[in-house]
Each structure stands twice: as structure tokens, then as C-alpha cells.
Amino acid sequence: PESAIAEAQTVGELVELLAERLGGVVPEAVMPENGAALLVTRLLSPETRKEAEKWMRETKFQRWVRGLTRKLLARIYERWFEFEARGLEILPSSGAFIIAANHASHMDTGAIMVALGERADKLFVLGARDYFFNTRLKGWFFHTFLRVVPFDRTVNPLEGLRIAAAILQAGYPLLIFPEGTRSVTGKL
């Protein structure tokens, strides 16, 4: 029930609730210094690892088109919106990290990619499976151009958490929108 999820205070408690609800095995506790990602990855099945590896594979074409997309977005955001980013020095210069952003419009992902500059080449974006992957063409487009990977926010959210954990464990940064959808009014 949603009330139980609302009462969860830590990622570990959320993982336990999801695992119990979805019939998964609740992992034994992981020492805090190992991080929440390792707690989630203990739930990874061989199938989930293969699924995550599929999304992490990158062809030369994808690398090229993602770089072109980032440059085009930068030109649009800087020229038309006078976009400027501050505070980038607090982000790690390499390796895995999570950007948990508010979600007011479809422009949010592009803005974050532009702000990250070349570091956006490694960025994965969790996107709603029911929206970005509801057709093969949309799924191909968003994965190819923006490196979006599916997150099932309705039927099997644990699978999305598992894939996200595998991406982080592989050393890639990850963009998530914890609200799970855009704000209808533009307000948070």
C-alpha cells in the first residue's frame, strides 16, 4: 500500500518494501559505507544483469548521435534561453553519481545535459517505460539520442531500481526525476 511506502525513511526500507511486495528476497543488510546502490544490486538476477548490460551497450552511431544531440541542445539552450548553470563544481568529475532533479517540463533533461557538457556523454536517464517506451520507435529514439533507459513506475518498479543500481555500479552517472512525472502547473 502507498501508506507503507510513504512511511519508508531510507532507501533500504524502500527496497525491503518493494522486494516483499513483488515476492523478491529481502537482502541482508549492507554496511552503510557500501552505499544504497550495493543494497539494491544484491537483488539483481542474472536476467536483470543482462537487461542492464543491454541498455549500457553503446554503438559508434549512438555515441556520435548523442554527441551531436548534446551540441545541438547546447546551442539552442544557450542562444534562445540564455541558459546558464551554476554549482557544477560540487559534482564529481568522473564516476557514478545521481542527479535527482525536479521535473517541471520536458526541457529538464536537455538542460541538465547542457549543464553537464561533455560529462553528459556518460549520463543515463531513467524514463517512464509507459511513456518513453510505449512504442518501439519512441523507445529507440529516446534511448539512441538521450540515453534514456526504461523505468517501470507502475507494475515493476523494483526492476527499474535494479537496472539503475547496475548502471551506478558500472560507474556511470544517472539522472532521475523522483517525482515520477512532470508538474502539471509548472510548480513543484
Side-chain angles (χ1 to χ4, degrees):
E2 287 186 28
S3 60
I5 291 174
E7 292 175 14
Q9 298 293 311
T10 66
V11 172
E13 290 174 4
L14 181 60
V15 169
E16 288 177 6
L17 285 169
L18 288 170
E20 288 171 8
R21 179 152 186 208
L22 298 172
V25 176
V26 179
E28 69 265 13
V30 175
M31 297 308 295
E33 64 268 11
N34 291 335
L38 289 179
L39 177 63
V40 177
T41 58
R42 297 194 100 159
L43 296 171
L44 288 178
S45 64
E47 297 81 29
T48 303
R49 287 182 201 276
K50 286 180 186 173
E51 179 77 5
E53 288 168 4
K54 176 184 97 171
W55 292 109
M56 286 189 279
R57 254 184 252 119
E58 183 177 52
T59 66
K60 288 180 182 178
F61 173 74
Q62 288 171 326
R63 192 174 313 119
W64 176 79
V65 79
R66 288 173 185 153
L68 185 64
T69 300
R70 185 179 44 76
K71 289 174 184 161
L72 180 63
L73 287 172
R75 196 167 213 125
I76 291 169
Y77 278 67
E78 291 164 0
R79 192 172 268 174
W80 288 347
F81 305 118
E82 298 178 13
F83 180 77
E84 180 182 326
R86 293 186 211 121
L88 296 173
E89 67 279 356
I90 64 172
L91 292 175
S93 59
S94 63
F97 57 90
I98 297 173
I99 297 175
N102 293 325
H103 202 10
S105 81
H106 278 303
M107 296 178 68
D108 299 334
T109 300
I112 291 168
M113 291 176 73
V114 170
L116 290 175
E118 289 185 15
R119 290 191 289 177
D121 291 344
K122 301 275 186 204
L123 182 70
F124 282 85
V125 180
L126 283 187
R129 182 182 294 275
D130 59 306
Y131 183 84
F132 292 103
F133 294 87
N134 60 350
T135 70
R136 288 178 60 93
L137 180 61
K138 273 176 71 174
W140 174 85
F141 177 84
F142 285 106
H143 179 66
T144 301
F145 286 80
L146 300 173
R147 213 176 207 179
V148 177
V149 295
F151 183 83
D152 190 342
R153 58 187 174 175
T154 56
V155 178
N156 192 0
L158 185 58
E159 189 71 16
L161 289 175
R162 290 172 171 164
I163 291 172
I167 289 167
L168 290 167
Q169 196 172 42
Y172 293 101
L174 183 67
L175 170 60
I176 63 170
F177 297 103
E179 294 166 293
T181 191
R182 292 172 313 286
S183 168
V184 177
T185 64
K187 296 182 180 182
L188 304 176

